[in-house]
Amino acid sequence: MPKCSKSEKIEDALLWECPVGEMLPNPSDYKSSLIALTAHNWLLRISASTGRVLEKIYLASYCKFRYLSWDTPQEVIAVKSAQNKGSALTRQAGLPQPVLLYLAVFHVLPFSLIGILEINKKIFGNVTDATLSHGILIVMYGSGLVRLYSFQAITEQFMQQKLDLGCACRWGGTAGTVGEAPFGIPCNIKLTDTPPLLFEVSSLENAFQIGGHPWHYIITPNKKKQKGVFHICALKDNSLAKNGIQEMECCSLESDWIYFHPDASGRIIHVGPNQVKNKNANYLQAYLRDIACSVPDDSNKASIAIKVLKLNEIENNRGQHQISEDFVILANRENKNENLPTVTASGRVVKKKFNLLDDDPEQETFKIVDYEDELDLLSVVAVTQIDAEGKAHLDFHCNEYGTLLKSIPLVESWDVTYSHEVYFDRDLVLHIEQKPSRVFSCYVYQMVCDPGEEEEATNRS
């Protein structure tokens, strides 16, 4: 059984499980596994229950692999390299670096190699990034341009040689075993011509999402003043859906974010500050920002919202679609300015404080929204900064209706200046906090059924 060195540093990781009823070639394929990428280009498949290394694959020595992504609908894992900037000597000499990055792509069930694809400047131009999603190669440019290509068509046309993990291979005059050090995995998908273009669009900061039934995409118009404005359009003809411009008018430190729901329902999740305004608030907004004063309490009620949107066909207008709200989850907020005195003892008038930021850290703010597919729950991390210490709680909402089902307070404090990740899988919750100087803390929660609650639920049913 291969083992991992204790000194090996894990760069990235993913969790996958075997589906019920699937016949797989190896007994270890049935084990829930953690796919981990190390700092030295090793891809590890680790048992999620015992921590034993089930499989160990050496990727390559010709680049530095850094990132893991999971193309869930295709049951494919993509391992992306860091961008190739060349050595200091080649940069000083002005020598071109045609290969910008590499993508190593694997089938998950059973775990097998598809190939390693190079993203070449001679073929794609000045690419800033590339990724794989829904079987589509998405290539991004500094101008905001996004181009889509069929990954299957690329592999069929440009794969130089089919490679199998653990099999002997001869490549470029060198012989070795695929996936073993020092041979690794040769780059076997090299484009000699530009592949057929499926689609292209321009978007601010390359922001591009694809999903829905039928296929739609989400972009931000490629102008700085349009940041925070999202257009939802049909992929087939680029037509804007009715109510397809989604914007949360707000004044906040952090931008809102939007994406297609991971449950494959075709719905859309939009998270960010949400302002409920009266008809005069729009005219006063710019003035208020300048003078930092207030309007009456009912004229500008700021909140943080999670909007779940539906994409439906318009009745009596076949082929045209509209966006409508399915449900909204609002943060629990209080108006702290209600009972402030307006006149001092000497008679001086005091203006009420006006909160300019909709994501005021002293009020409850949503930081993470995720989906647990096996339990069909939306998990939401809500944080409130109290003095120097932040407190967070994890809320579970019904994925169909948005109803709050359970709230779990996190015991540890939450510093909003640090980077945080929260993972929820069945009965386990992991909170990973990154502090300065790359110091990490991991907090693990396991949910257990309260006998009293279980008995109460049984009696109700």
Side-chain angles (χ1 to χ4, degrees):
M1 183 68 64
K3 294 185 178 181
C4 176
S5 168
K6 290 184 179 179
S7 62
E8 193 71 88
K9 177 184 172 186
I10 301 296
E11 289 282 293
D12 208 346
L14 291 172
L15 180 70
W16 69 276
E17 297 176 285
C18 169
V20 176
E22 187 97 6
M23 292 297 294
L24 300 175
N26 300 313
S28 67
D29 291 336
Y30 289 89
K31 298 181 182 295
S32 299
S33 301
L34 181 71
I35 305 296
L37 174 64
T38 76
H40 297 97
N41 278 4
W42 286 93
L43 192 65
L44 309 179
R45 189 161 69 87
I46 304 169
S47 170
S49 55
T50 66
R52 297 182 67 191
V53 177
L54 304 174
E55 201 165 355
K56 188 175 181 181
I57 300 162
Y58 182 66
L59 295 174
S61 58
Y62 49 80
C63 68
K64 170 68 175 173
F65 284 97
R66 293 289 299 273
Y67 312 101
L68 276 173
S69 63
W70 194 342
D71 188 8
T72 307
Q74 303 296 317
E75 294 183 344
V76 162
I77 285 176
V79 192
K80 185 168 67 174
S81 74
Q83 297 237 2
N84 182 19
K85 297 180 180 179
S87 66
L89 290 176
T90 57
R91 289 197 302 269
Q92 287 175 4
L95 298 176
Q97 299 295 322
V99 180
L100 299 171
L101 57 90
Y102 294 88
L103 286 171
V105 187
F106 298 84
H107 279 302
V108 172
L109 298 167
F111 195 76
S112 58
L113 173 69
I114 297 176
I116 294 185
L117 166 69
E118 69 172 22
I119 304 299
N120 196 304
K121 184 177 180 180
K122 294 179 180 178
I123 302 298
F124 293 102
N126 290 317
V127 172
T128 57
D129 201 1
T131 188
L132 200 64
S133 178
H134 293 78
I136 296 172
L137 175 66
I138 302 175
V139 180
M140 289 156 273
Y141 298 82
S143 62
L145 185 66
V146 179
R147 287 178 173 162
L148 276 60
Y149 304 90
S150 168
F151 180 69
Q152 181 178 348
I154 290 173
T155 56
E156 291 174 354
Q157 184 178 353
F158 299 105
M159 183 178 287
Q160 297 180 340
Q161 182 181 332
K162 181 75 171 68
L163 301 175
D164 295 311
L165 295 174
C167 293
C169 173
R170 191 164 196 83
W171 192 277
T174 305
T177 302
V178 178
E180 291 188 3
F183 189 76
I185 304 174
C187 178
N188 62 333
I189 308 175
K190 295 186 178 182
L191 281 72
T192 55
D193 196 6
T194 306
L197 179 67
L198 296 179
F199 180 80
E200 73 174 16
V201 69
S202 183
S203 180
L204 185 66
E205 298 175 351
N206 300 119
F208 178 81
Q209 302 275 341
I210 185 170
H213 306 298
W215 290 108
H216 278 67
Y217 64 89
I218 304 172
I219 63 166
T220 295
N222 200 7
K223 297 178 181 178
K224 288 185 178 180
K225 65 179 180 181
Q226 293 289 305
K227 189 171 184 178
V229 179
F230 303 100
H231 287 202
I232 304 169
C233 306
L235 190 64
K236 64 176 182 178
D237 58 7
N238 298 321
S239 61
L240 183 69
K242 185 179 179 182
N243 302 324
I245 299 178
Q246 293 293 315
E247 178 182 10
M248 291 187 180
E249 297 180 15
C250 56
C251 179
S252 58
L253 289 173
E254 297 182 9
S255 301
D256 48 339
W257 71 94
I258 192 169
Y259 57 96
F260 284 96
H261 200 307
D263 69 354
S265 63
R267 294 183 296 176
I268 296 167
I269 296 178
H270 189 186
V271 187
N274 176 49
Q275 290 191 341
V276 182
K277 304 177 181 178
N278 68 10
K279 62 181 180 180
N280 295 319
N282 289 330
Y283 300 103
L284 292 173
Q285 186 179 29
Y287 176 70
L288 292 173
R289 287 177 179 172
D290 290 338
I291 64 173
C293 70
S294 68
V295 292
D297 291 340
D298 62 348
S299 63
N300 193 2
K301 296 179 179 177
S303 183
I304 299 294
I306 301 170
K307 290 184 178 181
V308 177
L309 309 172
K310 292 188 296 185
L311 181 65
N312 294 325
E313 192 173 65
I314 299 175
E315 192 175 353
N316 301 324
N317 194 352
R318 191 174 181 181
Q320 296 297 314
H321 291 77
Q322 64 181 356
I323 305 298
S324 59
E325 283 187 3
D326 195 8
F327 60 82
V328 177
I329 300 171
L330 293 175
N332 183 21
R333 293 195 153 198
E334 298 176 358
N335 191 340
K336 295 184 177 182
N337 295 328
E338 285 183 353
N339 300 317
L340 292 178
T342 55
V343 180
T344 65
S346 62
R348 183 171 60 88
V349 177
V350 178
K351 291 182 179 179
K352 292 183 180 180
K353 179 182 177 182
F354 178 75
N355 239 341
L356 287 179
L357 297 178
D358 299 326
D359 57 352
D360 183 353
E362 293 184 1
Q363 297 272 18
E364 186 175 273
T365 304
F366 295 139
K367 291 295 182 182
I368 298 173
V369 180
D370 203 358
Y371 172 66
E372 213 294 321
D373 56 345
E374 293 182 82
L375 300 179
D376 196 29
L377 293 176
L378 276 178
S379 61
V380 178
V381 177
V383 180
T384 306
Q385 189 80 13
I386 304 171
D387 297 326
E389 186 178 86
K391 300 301 294 181
H393 56 90
L394 179 63
D395 295 342
F396 299 131
H397 292 264
C398 169
N399 184 48
E400 186 174 1
Y401 302 109
T403 310
L404 177 62
L405 303 175
K406 187 78 174 178
S407 184
I408 300 174
L410 301 184
V411 177
E412 67 277 7
S413 63
W414 185 294
D415 191 322
V416 295
T417 63
Y418 297 161
S419 175
H420 298 266
E421 295 178 9
V422 174
Y423 300 98
F424 169 46
D425 185 51
R426 290 182 296 185
D427 62 342
L428 284 178
V429 176
L430 272 69
H431 171 206
I432 300 174
E433 178 185 49
Q434 181 179 347
K435 299 177 181 178
S437 303
R438 292 185 63 81
V439 175
F440 290 84
S441 298
C442 181
Y443 308 91
V444 182
Y445 294 80
Q446 183 166 26
M447 292 180 285
V448 294
C449 186
D450 187 327
E453 290 186 3
E454 185 177 20
E455 183 178 353
E456 184 180 343
T458 304
N459 293 336
R460 284 201 304 267
S461 59

